[in-house]
C-alpha cells in the first residue's frame, strides 16, 4: 500500500483544502481527517494552501549541506542513520508534545525516514515540505476540535473523575489514531480550564481566553509560508552537527540582532524558538527585563500585550513576529504572559510588565562594593567586583578615543580604587555573565598574572591558536575568588578556567554553562548559515565545551541543570582535551582545599539563608519531577494550595531573616513583587549571602595559609611558580 493510500485510509473525512494540483515527490496526500465525536465548525473561507519549495531554497540547501560536511568542526557525513535522526528532529520541532500527529501518521511516513539524507544532499526539499504540510493540516484539525469543544461549553466538562494528564509529552508514545487524540485534547482543554479556575477566573472569561488563543494559532496555521517550512527543515538538518549551527532566513538575517539581543527599544532578552513557544535564553545585562527582575531564563512566552490593549497569543508564532510585537517605543510598557521555567505544567502562567528602553553600555559596566566581615575578633574588608558581561565600545576604540569603555579598563580602575580602600582580597562575581568580547576575557586574565597563555582555540583542521597575555604588568596580586553559576558562559568560562588553571584564585559556585564553541555567520544565496568552526580549550588542555568549569567549592543553585546548559542540548559537541601549553602555577590549593570545603559546609549547615535556598531548590525539583497532574478539581485545588503555601512559607521565612513583616497571602506577596519590579531603583539582596560566603572563603584562605599574600606578589612569581 502506498504512503498516499495509507494516509487516505486514516483520513476519512477531509476538511476544506485548496485543490493545488500538487504532485509531491513522495506522494503524500495533503488531507486533513475529520473529527470523531464533535464536529468542528469550519470557516468555509479558510483554505490551507500547501507550501512548496523554491529554486532559491533548493540552492541554499545544497550550499548548507556542503558547508556542514566540509567546514563544520564536527566531522559528520550525511548517511541513512543521519537521515533518521533528521526525521526525528524535524517531527520533534513540528510536534514536540506529540499532540497533532498519530501513530498512524508516523507509520504512513515510515519509508520517508531513511530517504531524507540523500534528498538533502541534492536540494530535493519536497519530502520535508510534504511532512510540514501534513503537520500543519493536523494542527488545523486539532485546533478546530478544540474550538468546537469550547463552543459546546466548558461547563459540560467533567472535573470529578480520576483523569490526569501527562505534563511533558516529548517522550510519550504517539496516540494511536484520531479518536485517541480527541480524548487527549479533551484533557488538554480541561487542564487549561482548571488552571484558570484555580486562579479565580470566571468561566466566560476562560472561554474567551481559550477561544482567542486557539483562533490565533489557527490563523497562523492557515498563513504558513514556504520560508517557515524551509527554516524548520534546515534547522532540523543543521542541528545534527551541533545546537549552535543554524539557518537564518533572509528576514532573520536582515535583523540578526533579533537572535542576539532585543536591545534597541525592546526588553533586553535573548530569545529563541522552542517548538511552539518563544523561549527566553538569557537576559541582557543592564536591559529592562534584567532590571525588572521577574523574567527568567527558560521562561516561555504565551502572549504579548501592548499598553491598554488585550493580549495577543503568540503560541506557534515565528520568532521574528514575536520580536516585532515585543519591540516598541521607548518608555512604553509591554506585558508578557509566560510559563515560568519552574512551572509544574504549561497551564501555569504569570504576567510581567516591562518598560521598554535601550540597553546602555554604562548599565552593563563592571561595578564594585566593599563588604566587611568580623571573624573571631578580626575584621576583614573584601572587595567585590561584579561583571555582567564582557564588553567593549568598539566604535570609540576604532575612533581612537583614549577613554573608550571596556571590561578590562573598568576593572583595572575598580581594582585601583579597592586597593585604596585597603581590601584584604577580591571577589570577582561572574554569575549570570553570558560572555561577550573574547579579547576582553584574554586581557582581564592578564590583570592577575605576569604573562602567558589564556585560552586555546582549535579549528576543524586541528590547527590550534593560543591567545596570550603579553603584558607583564600585574594589576592585582592578592588573594582572589571567582563566583560563577550555570548562566556563566563562554568568555566567563575562559576567565574562570584560566584563573583556576594558573592557581591564581579559587572558583566558587555551580557548574558553568559549558559553551565552548565558536561560530561564524556565512552568507548563502538565500539567507545565512551560522556554523560552528572552532572550539575553546583551557591552557591545561581541557575544553570548556559541554563540561564547563567545575568550581573548587560548590554552592547549589535554583537553576535546573537538566534544562539550561550545553549538556542539556541535543547533539552538543562533547568535552575533550588537547595538549596543555606551558603556564605558571602560582599557588597549589590542594593542601588546604579540603579544609576550605569543610569550613564552607559547616557555615552553610547553620546558615538560615542557605537552608531556605535548599528548601526552595527541593520544592522546585519536586515541581519539575511531576510527571502527571490531576484533572479532578478537588485534588488539583489541594495541590494548588500546597504549592501556594510552600511559596508563601519560604518567602515569609526570608522576610523574617531580614526583619520584615510577613505576608498574609500569596496575593500580597505577588503584589509586593510587582511593586518591587516596577521600582527599578530598588534592589533585592536575596542572594547576597553567596557574595558574603565568597568573602568568608577569602578569609579562610588568609587564615589557613598566611603565605598566600606573599606567594601571590609579583616579586615572588618566578620563584614560586611551577611550569606546566
Amino acid at each position: 500500500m502506498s504512503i498516499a493510500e495509507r494516509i487516505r485510509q486514516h483520513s476519512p473525512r477531509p476538511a476544506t483544502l485548496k485543490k493545488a494540483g500538487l504532485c509531491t515527490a513522495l506522494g503524500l496526500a495533503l488531507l486533513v481527517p475529520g473529527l470523531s465525536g464533535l464536529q468542528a465548525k469550519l470557516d468555509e473561507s479558510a483554505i490551507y494552501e500547501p507550501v512548496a519549495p523554491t529554486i532559491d531554497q533548493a540552492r541554499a540547501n545544497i550550499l548548507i549541506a556542503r558547508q556542514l560536511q566540509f567546514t563544520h568542526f564536527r566531522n559528520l557525513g550525511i548517511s541513512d542513520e543521519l537521515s533518521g535522526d533528521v526525521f526525528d528532529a524535524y517531527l520533534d520541532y513540528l510536534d514536540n508534545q506529540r499532540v497533532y500527529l498519530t501513530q498512524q501518521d508516523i507509520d504512513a511516513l515510515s519509508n520517508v525516514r531513511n530517504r531524507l539524507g540523500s534528498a538533502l544532499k541534492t536540494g530535493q526539499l519536497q519530502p520535508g515540505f510534504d511532512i510540514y504540510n501534513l503537520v500543519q493540516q493536523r494542527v488545523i484539525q486539532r485546533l478546530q476540535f478544540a474550538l468546537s469543544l469550547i463552543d459546546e461549553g466548558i461547563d459540560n466538562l467533567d472535573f470529578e473523575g480520576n483523569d490526569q494528564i501527562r505534563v511533558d509529552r516529548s517522550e510519550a508514545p504517539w496516540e494511536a489514531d484520531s479518536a485517541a487524540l480527541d480524548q487527549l485534547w479533551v484533557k488538554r482543554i480541561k487542564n487549561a480550564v482548571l488552571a484558570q479556575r484555580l486562579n479565580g477566573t470566571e468561566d466566560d472569561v476562560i472561554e474567551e481566553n481559550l477561544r482567542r488563543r486557539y483562533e490565533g494559532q489557527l490563523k497562523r496555521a492557515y498563513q504558513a509560508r514556504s520560508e517557515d517550512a524551509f527554516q524548520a527543515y534546515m534547522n532540523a538538518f543543521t542541528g545534527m552537527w551541533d545546537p549552535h549551527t543554524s539557518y537564518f532566513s533572509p528576514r532573520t538575517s536582515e535583523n540578526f540582532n533579533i537572535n542576539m539581543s532585543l536591545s534597541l527599544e525592546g526588553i533586553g532578552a535573548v530569545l529563541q524558538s522552542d517548538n511552539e513557544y518563544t523561549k527566553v535564553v538569557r537576559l541582557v545585562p543592564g536591559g529592562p527585563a534584567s532590571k525588572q527582575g521577574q523574567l527568567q531564563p527558560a521562561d516561555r512566552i504565551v502572549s504579548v500585550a501592548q499598553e491598554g490593549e488585550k493580549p495577543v497569543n503568540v503560541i506557534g508564532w515565528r520568532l521574528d513576529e514575536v520580536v516585532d510585537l515585543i519591540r516598541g517605543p521607548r518608555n512604553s510598557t509591554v506585558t508578557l504572559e509566560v510559563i515560568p521555567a519552574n512551572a509544574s505544567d504549561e497551564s501555569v502562567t504569570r504576567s510581567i510588565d516591562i518598560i521598554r528602553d535601550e540597553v546602555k553600555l554604562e548599565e552593563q559596566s563592571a561595578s564594585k562594593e566593599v563588604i566587611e566581615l568580623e571573624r573571631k575578633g578580626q575584621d576583614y574588608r573584601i572587595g567585590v567586583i561584579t561583571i555582567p558581561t564582557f564588553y567593549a565600545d568598539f566604535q570609540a576604540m576604532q575612533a581612537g578615543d583614549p577613554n573608550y569603555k571596556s571590561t578590562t579598563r573598568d576593572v583595572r580602575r575598580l581594582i585601583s580604587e579597592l586597593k585604596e580602600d585597603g581590601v584584604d582580597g577580591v571577589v570577582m562575581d561572574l554569575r549570570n555573565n553570558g560572555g561577550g568580547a573574547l579579547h576582553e576575557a584574554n586581557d582581564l586574565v592578564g590583570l592577575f598574572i605576569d604573562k602567558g597563555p589564556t585560552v586555546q582555540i582549535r579549528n576543524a583542521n586541528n590547527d590550534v591558536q593560543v591567545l596570550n597575555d603579553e603584558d607583564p604588568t600585574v594589576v592585582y596580586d592578592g588573594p582572589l575568588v571567582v563566583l560563577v553559576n550555570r548562566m556563566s558562559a563562554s568568555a566567563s568560562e575562559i576567565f574562570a578556567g584560566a584563573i583556576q588553571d594558573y592557581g591564581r584564585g579559587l572558583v566558587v559556585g555551580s557548574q558553568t554553562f559549558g559553551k565552548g564553541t565558536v561560530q561564524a555567520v556565512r552568507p548563502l544565496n538565500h539567507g545565512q548559515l551560522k556554523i560552528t568552526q572552532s572550539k575553546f580549550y583551557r591552557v591545561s588542555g581541557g575544553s570548556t565545551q559541554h563540561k564547563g568549569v567545575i568550581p573548587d567549592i560548590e554552592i547549589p543553585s535554583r537553576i535546573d541543570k537538566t534544562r539550561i546548559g550545553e549538556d542539556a542540548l541535543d547533539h552538543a559537541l562533547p568535552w575533550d582535551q588537547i595538549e596543555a601549553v606551558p603556564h605558571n602555577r602560582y599557588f597549589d590549593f590542594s593542601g588546604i582545599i579540603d579544609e576550605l570545603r569543610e569550613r564552607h559546609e559547616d557555615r552553610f549547615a547553620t546558615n538560615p539563608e542557605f537552608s531556605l535556598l535548599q528548601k526552595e531548590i527541593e520544592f522546585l525539583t519536586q515541581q519539575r519531577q511531576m510527571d502527571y497532574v490531576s484533572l479532578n478539581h478537588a485534588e488539583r485545588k489541594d495541590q494548588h494550595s500546597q504549592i501556594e503555601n510552600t511559596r508563601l512559607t519560604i518567602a515569609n521565612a526570608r522576610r523574617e531573616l531580614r526583619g520584615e513583616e510577613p505576608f498574609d497571602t500569596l496575593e500580597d506577596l505577588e503584589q509586593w513583587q510587582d511593586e518591587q519590579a516596577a521600582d527599578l531603583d530598588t534592589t533585592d539582596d536575596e542572594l547576597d549571602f553567596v557574595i558574603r560566603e565568597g568573602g568568608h572563603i577569602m578569609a579562610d584562605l588568609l587564615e589557613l595559609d598566611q603565605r598566600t599574600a606573599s606567594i601571590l606578589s609579583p616579586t615572588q612569581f618566578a620563584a614560586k611558580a611551577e611550569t606546566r
Side-chain angles (χ1 to χ4, degrees), residues 339-355:
I339 301 171
N342 58 10
S344 56
D345 67 89
E346 293 183 355
S347 66
V348 178
T349 65
R350 70 172 304 179
S351 293
I352 301 173
D353 296 332
I354 301 174
I355 300 175

Side-chain angles (χ1 to χ4, degrees), residues 423-641:
V423 297
D424 299 297
V426 170
V427 174
M428 301 285 286
D429 188 359
L430 297 183
R431 291 174 299 167
N432 303 317
N433 183 320
L438 173 61
H439 72 87
E440 286 299 319
N442 175 70
D443 293 347
L444 191 65
V445 174
L447 300 185
F448 302 93
I449 65 171
D450 183 2
K451 61 180 179 178
T454 60
V455 65
Q456 304 184 74
I457 306 172
R458 180 166 72 99
N459 66 21
N461 295 323
N462 290 321
D463 297 324
V464 178
Q465 175 190 8
V466 180
L467 298 188
N468 288 276
D469 166 44
E470 304 290 353
D471 186 354
T473 304
V474 176
V475 175
Y476 178 72
D477 58 12
L480 183 66
V481 167
V482 180
L483 295 179
V484 295
N485 67 0
R486 188 64 163 177
M487 298 307 298
S488 304
S490 195
S492 293
E493 296 174 293
I494 290 171
F495 176 81
I499 294 298
Q500 195 175 57
D501 286 344
Y502 274 95
R504 183 57 190 83
L506 285 175
V507 178
V508 175
S510 53
Q511 181 183 10
T512 60
F513 192 94
K515 170 65 166 63
T517 55
V518 185
Q519 286 73 42
V521 177
R522 297 178 179 171
L524 303 167
N525 68 301
H526 184 79
Q528 294 176 310
L529 177 67
K530 179 161 70 79
I531 187 169
T532 298
Q533 61 180 15
S534 307
K535 202 171 179 180
F536 289 130
Y537 294 83
R538 293 162 57 156
V539 295
S540 57
S543 176
T544 56
Q545 169 62 18
H546 205 279
K547 191 174 181 179
V549 176
I550 307 299
D552 301 298
I553 298 176
E554 185 172 356
I555 296 177
S557 169
R558 296 179 180 84
I559 299 172
D560 182 4
K561 293 202 298 183
T562 66
R563 300 179 65 180
I564 298 177
E566 190 76 7
D567 54 4
L569 302 175
D570 292 335
H571 305 290
L573 293 178
W575 178 89
D576 64 341
Q577 58 185 348
I578 59 177
E579 289 187 11
V581 289
H583 60 282
N584 293 330
R585 180 79 178 174
Y586 295 119
F587 188 67
D588 183 2
F589 292 100
S590 62
I592 60 174
I593 191 64
D594 288 340
E595 177 67 16
L596 287 171
R597 289 172 181 154
E598 185 176 338
R599 289 189 178 198
H600 159 72
E601 290 168 1
D602 288 345
R603 271 192 303 274
F604 268 25
T606 59
N607 187 320
E609 290 177 286
F610 179 64
S611 177
L612 281 176
L613 175 62
Q614 286 183 309
K615 288 181 180 178
E616 192 169 3
I617 291 172
E618 291 171 3
F619 167 66
L620 294 175
T621 301
Q622 290 174 358
Q623 294 292 100
R624 295 164 186 149
Q625 291 177 344
M626 289 178 59
D627 294 326
Y628 291 87
V629 292
S630 174
L631 297 177
N632 179 285
H633 184 275
E635 290 182 14
R636 187 69 166 270
K637 184 176 181 180
D638 182 59
Q639 179 193 44
H640 189 73
S641 297

Side-chain angles (χ1 to χ4, degrees), residues 81 103 107 162 279 430 531 579:
E81 181 180 355
Q103 186 61 53
D107 293 342
N162 297 319
K279 184 174 73 174
L430 297 183
I531 187 169
E579 289 187 11

Side-chain angles (χ1 to χ4, degrees), residues 29-46:
L30 300 176
L31 301 174
V32 181
L35 309 177
S36 59
L38 291 169
Q39 276 295 311
K41 297 180 180 178
L42 299 179
D43 179 358
E44 295 299 330
S45 66

Side-chain angles (χ1 to χ4, degrees), residues 84-330:
D85 291 339
V86 172
F87 178 83
D88 291 338
Y90 191 33
L91 290 184
D92 186 56
Y93 179 87
L94 296 174
D95 188 10
N96 173 260
Q97 291 300 303
R98 304 191 172 191
V99 295
Y100 300 122
L101 296 178
T102 66
Q103 186 61 53
Q104 291 179 334
D105 291 326
I106 302 303
D107 293 342
L109 295 171
S110 60
N111 73 343
V112 183
R113 180 183 180 86
N114 295 324
R115 295 170 58 186
L116 296 183
S118 58
L120 284 164
K121 270 186 178 181
T122 54
Q124 298 178 47
L125 294 170
Q126 195 62 57
F129 275 68
D130 288 339
I131 293 171
Y132 183 86
N133 285 321
L134 177 64
V135 173
Q136 288 303 109
Q137 293 167 74
R138 296 298 188 254
V139 169
I140 291 171
Q141 174 195 0
R142 287 296 115 205
L143 295 174
Q144 289 173 339
F145 177 82
L147 288 168
S148 293
L149 198 63
I150 295 168
D151 287 342
E152 291 290 321
I154 62 175
D155 54 322
N156 291 325
L157 298 173
D158 177 18
F159 293 97
E160 296 182 359
N162 297 319
D163 279 354
Q164 57 181 6
I165 188 169
R166 187 166 179 164
V167 175
D168 180 8
R169 288 185 46 81
S170 59
E171 296 183 6
W174 300 96
E175 295 294 340
D177 51 31
S178 181
L181 267 187
D182 285 353
Q183 296 177 24
L184 172 62
W185 272 80
V186 170
K187 290 183 178 182
R188 284 169 61 85
I189 299 296
K190 287 169 65 173
N191 186 43
V193 170
L194 196 51
Q196 294 189 56
R197 278 183 177 174
L198 291 174
N199 287 331
T201 308
E202 297 295 331
D203 278 6
D204 58 339
V205 178
I206 294 175
E207 288 189 7
E208 181 185 353
N209 290 343
L210 294 180
R211 186 174 288 106
R212 188 166 59 243
R213 175 190 302 181
Y214 295 128
E215 286 176 348
Q217 290 178 247
L218 188 59
K219 180 181 178 181
R220 288 288 171 229
Y222 278 121
Q223 293 176 344
R225 305 177 309 179
S226 174
E227 197 59 41
D228 299 334
F230 184 63
Q231 183 158 321
Y233 193 30
M234 286 303 99
N235 281 329
F237 180 41
T238 60
M240 294 298 101
W241 274 259
D242 86 302
H244 303 291
T245 295
S246 58
Y247 166 74
F248 293 162
S249 69
R251 167 86 184 271
T252 306
S253 299
E254 291 172 6
N255 299 281
F256 182 58
N257 285 337
I258 289 174
N259 296 274
M260 304 302 291
S261 68
L262 301 179
S263 57
L264 181 59
E265 295 185 350
I267 62 171
V270 178
L271 306 177
Q272 71 178 30
S273 293
D274 182 29
N275 301 303
E276 291 183 313
Y277 293 99
T278 297
K279 184 174 73 174
V280 178
V281 179
R282 65 179 177 86
L283 305 180
V284 178
S290 176
K291 291 190 292 184
Q292 198 268 3
Q294 290 179 298
L295 193 67
Q296 297 297 320
D299 286 356
R300 288 171 291 172
I301 300 174
V302 174
S303 71
V304 180
Q306 310 304 329
E307 199 165 354
E309 298 181 9
K310 288 185 177 181
V312 177
N313 185 276
V314 295
I315 298 175
W317 282 36
R318 293 181 289 271
L319 177 63
D320 56 353
E321 293 181 329
V322 178
V323 168
D324 287 343
L325 206 57
I326 293 174
R327 280 176 168 169
R330 186 178 177 185

